[in-house]
């Protein structure tokens, strides 16, 4: 079989195309008609609470399980009809390192290379290249069990790159990592994208999504409830805020009182931040913005700065799903614990 051409009219090509994907686990509908498009050479962040269906989606796209209905193509290959061809162009890094801890780092990579049908010479060369790229050369002969959490994660990423995949799935890749190690992983992911790899990233870390993703898809209860560029999603949710910093910090509370006197809907939640010397004022309309600036001017308060801010990604998530995102715990997500038929 040949690849499916999903770009007949010359528009930006999708590396991953999903239409109407459905998956049941018994009475539970893990995916309920999911649609998704991931453009080549970009990072698509898939956000959602535990049990939303994120891991199930990754399992289907990596041919580990089959959907009950719907269609998905990755790099032009159908996930159901062309699994063998598809597996040669994808890489997968899950929440936990999948390398053999008893084997040294180099042997882990060499073994994976051979399983991917690389010749002995190709597997050796590729293992050496990736160990150097992921700063693991000095630890190449040590058993993976002696590696730190960050080193294991880098080895896992290196393993997923052995076959030079064009599409890489990262399923909550920094779960349980400390901030410094998380930053190291982010650096490597950015480097891979710079080399042209397309990444599908599932995460519950809002900061991770902001750092890596060019577009987001929010999934809840097996359905896509929003998708688009991060700034576009923030704009759709609305809720701009005005951050005002008086030149004189003593003007903070008089300014807050003056704004409260305006009686404009939304100003009741004005926040006084004495640590930064600023007021954070919710703004629901351009008319409100004009009224606030007018009130400041009328009272002769000198300002050091005034800026507008879009809602945080966490606030967007709260607005879309009805609850805040929680940092992933060191446990398998609900939808990953479902029994999967072999």
């Amino acid at each position: 079989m040949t690849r499916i051409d999903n770009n007949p009219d010359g528009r930006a090509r999708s590396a991953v195309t999903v239409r109407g994907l459905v998956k049941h686990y018994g009475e539970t509908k893990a995916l309920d008609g999911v649609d998704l498009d991931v453009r080549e050479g970009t990072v698509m962040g898939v956000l959602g609470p535990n049990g939303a269906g994120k891991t199930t989606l990754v399992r289907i796209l990596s041919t580990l399980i089959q959907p009950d209905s719907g269609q998905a193509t990755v790099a032009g290959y159908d996930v159901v009809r062309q699994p063998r061809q598809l597996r040669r162009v994808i890489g997968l890094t899950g929440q936990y390192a999948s390398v053999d801890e008893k084997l040294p780092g180099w042997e882990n990579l060499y073994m994976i290379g051979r399983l991917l049908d690389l010749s002995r010479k190709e597997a050796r060369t590729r293992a050496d290249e990736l160990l150097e790229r992921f700063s693991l050369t000095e630890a190449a002969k040590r058993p993976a069990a002696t590696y730190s959490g960050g080193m294991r994660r880098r080895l896992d990423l290196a393993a997923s790159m052995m076959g030079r995949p064009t599409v890489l799935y990262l399923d909550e890749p920094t779960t349980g990592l400390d901030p410094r190690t998380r930053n190291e992983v982010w650096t490597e992911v950015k480097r891979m994208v710079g080399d042209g790899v397309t990444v599908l990233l599932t995460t519950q870390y809002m900061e991770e999504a902001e750092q890596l993703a060019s577009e987001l898809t929010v999934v809840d209860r097996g359905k896509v409830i929003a998708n688009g560029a991060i700034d576009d999603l923030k704009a759709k949710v609305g809720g701009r805020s005005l951050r005002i910093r008086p030149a004189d910090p003593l003007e903070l509370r008089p300014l807050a009182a003056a704004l409260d006197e305006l009686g404009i809907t939304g100003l009741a939640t004005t926040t006084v931040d004495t640590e930064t010397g600023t007021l954070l004022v919710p703004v629901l309309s351009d008319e409100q913005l004009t009224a606030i600036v007018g009130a400041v001017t009328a009272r002769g308060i000198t300002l050091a700065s005034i800026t507008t801010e879009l809602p945080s990604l966490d606030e967007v998530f709260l607005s879309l799903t009805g609850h805040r995102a929680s940092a992933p715990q060191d446990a398998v997500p609900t939808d990953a614990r479902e029994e999967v038929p072999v």
Side-chain angles (χ1 to χ4, degrees), residues 218-240:
V218 183
V219 181
D220 196 18
R221 299 180 183 178
K223 292 180 177 289
V224 173
I225 59 175
N227 66 280
I230 293 177
D231 285 346
D232 290 343
L233 289 179
K234 289 180 176 182
K236 288 179 183 178
V237 169
R240 287 179 299 167

Side-chain angles (χ1 to χ4, degrees), residues 91-120:
L92 170 63
T93 295
Q95 295 180 43
Y96 305 98
S98 59
V99 296
D100 188 329
E101 295 192 348
K102 294 181 181 179
L103 292 179
W106 187 90
E107 289 189 26
N108 263 288
L109 299 186
Y110 178 79
M111 177 184 66
I112 291 171
R114 294 293 288 150
L115 289 173
L116 292 172
D117 291 333
L118 297 183
S119 68
R120 289 183 174 85

